[in-house]
Amino acid sequence: FDVSNIQAPVLPGSSPILPNFIESITGDGSQYLYAACGASGVQVLDISNPSSPALAGSYDTLGYTEDIYLKDNHAILADGPHGIQVLDISIPSSPQWVSEAYSLAYAYDVEMSGNTLYAAGGGSGLLVVDLSNIAQPQEKGVVSMDGFLYALAISGKSLYSANAWGGVGMADISDPLVPKVLDALTTNGWAMDVDIENTGLLVMDGTDGVRLYDISNSSPQLSILYEDTGFTYQGILQGSHAFVTD
């Protein structure tokens, strides 16, 4: 979509039909999009011509690819029941497997702070990986948190997680490899996704709608609650707008 006029998005084109459910999309900021395509792994799209995105490459993982994080020439995957998978994407048309971590855990979402990778591990908790050597990830432990972790967002030395019935989890990551769990933010619904822009924390809270917190201080403050929704599942904050799947 062309969103230069945010009130009237325009659809200039669409991709070919992809082989499975698209769980998330991640851009490299220039020519390529990487689609987490469930049971069909990663699909790479060339978007140099937005009116006609073209399939440029793919990699079919052993798991169910839920999310992708791009770091330099690597794609780090939350690969569902096969944990965290790392691909070399220096040649986007031909991704190559590099390494893995927590291959017996279910990973829903991945985020990074420096060389430390965090994964939302559902009922297992928060998975912590040292990726200083990306070819040999070091599993640093699983941090227990209330609820069921679906998504993560990081701001500075703070990590926030969407913990379903456990609300919004919070952790101090001043020591990146040893997160310190803080008291969770209680919500009325199921926290399914979180997103951060500047000092705003957007929470998609299932049947309770959308919550916006001010995280400029150590204690987040609820600033907006919008309840007139169905079931908010994913979303992103952009300036004075929030785009939410409902």
Side-chain angles (χ1 to χ4, degrees):
F1 287 90
D2 180 342
V3 291
S4 52
N5 178 357
I6 205 167
Q7 300 296 339
V10 175
L11 177 65
S14 61
S15 77
I17 298 296
L18 298 181
N20 205 269
F21 294 111
I22 302 169
E23 298 294 343
S24 64
I25 51 176
T26 305
D28 67 357
S30 58
Q31 185 175 351
Y32 295 100
L33 283 182
Y34 294 81
C37 216
S40 294
V42 179
Q43 305 294 315
V44 185
L45 295 171
D46 183 337
I47 56 167
S48 54
N49 179 3
S51 65
S52 184
L55 184 62
S58 65
Y59 187 93
D60 192 359
T61 65
L62 294 176
Y64 187 94
T65 308
E66 299 267 8
D67 185 46
I68 301 170
Y69 186 98
L70 301 182
K71 179 177 173 61
D72 302 324
N73 289 323
H74 293 88
I76 302 161
L77 317 181
D79 202 38
H82 277 264
I84 298 157
Q85 302 292 318
V86 180
L87 304 180
D88 182 336
I89 54 170
S90 54
I91 302 176
S93 61
S94 182
Q96 301 294 318
W97 184 87
V98 174
S99 59
E100 64 183 7
Y102 295 106
S103 59
L104 298 179
Y106 200 106
Y108 286 92
D109 188 26
V110 282
E111 290 290 339
M112 289 198 72
S113 177
N115 288 321
T116 304
L117 174 74
Y118 303 96
S124 298
L126 181 68
L127 314 179
V128 183
V129 183
D130 183 350
L131 274 185
S132 299
N133 180 355
I134 205 162
Q136 295 182 320
Q138 300 296 310
E139 300 176 0
K140 291 299 181 178
V142 181
V143 179
S144 179
M145 302 180 81
D146 291 337
F148 193 96
L149 278 68
Y150 280 114
L152 306 173
I154 294 173
S155 176
K157 301 300 181 181
S158 297
L159 178 144
Y160 300 87
S161 56
N163 292 6
W165 58 88
V168 179
M170 298 191 295
D172 181 342
I173 54 172
S174 299
D175 184 346
L177 297 176
V178 188
K180 179 183 178 182
V181 177
L182 308 174
D183 290 338
L185 298 174
T186 301
T187 65
N188 293 330
W190 278 25
M192 302 301 297
D193 191 20
V194 284
D195 186 60
I196 293 173
E197 184 181 73
N198 297 323
T199 60
L201 170 67
L202 186 71
V203 179
M204 279 50 69
D205 201 31
T207 56
D208 194 47
V210 182
R211 291 170 172 256
L212 181 65
Y213 292 88
D214 180 348
I215 56 172
S216 58
N217 297 314
S218 57
S219 179
Q221 299 296 315
L222 180 65
S223 54
I224 295 174
L225 171 61
Y226 183 77
E227 298 175 291
D228 188 16
T229 63
F231 188 94
T232 58
Y233 183 67
Q234 289 179 317
I236 187 169
L237 189 60
Q238 182 175 308
S240 59
H241 294 81
F243 298 88
V244 179
T245 60
D246 187 27

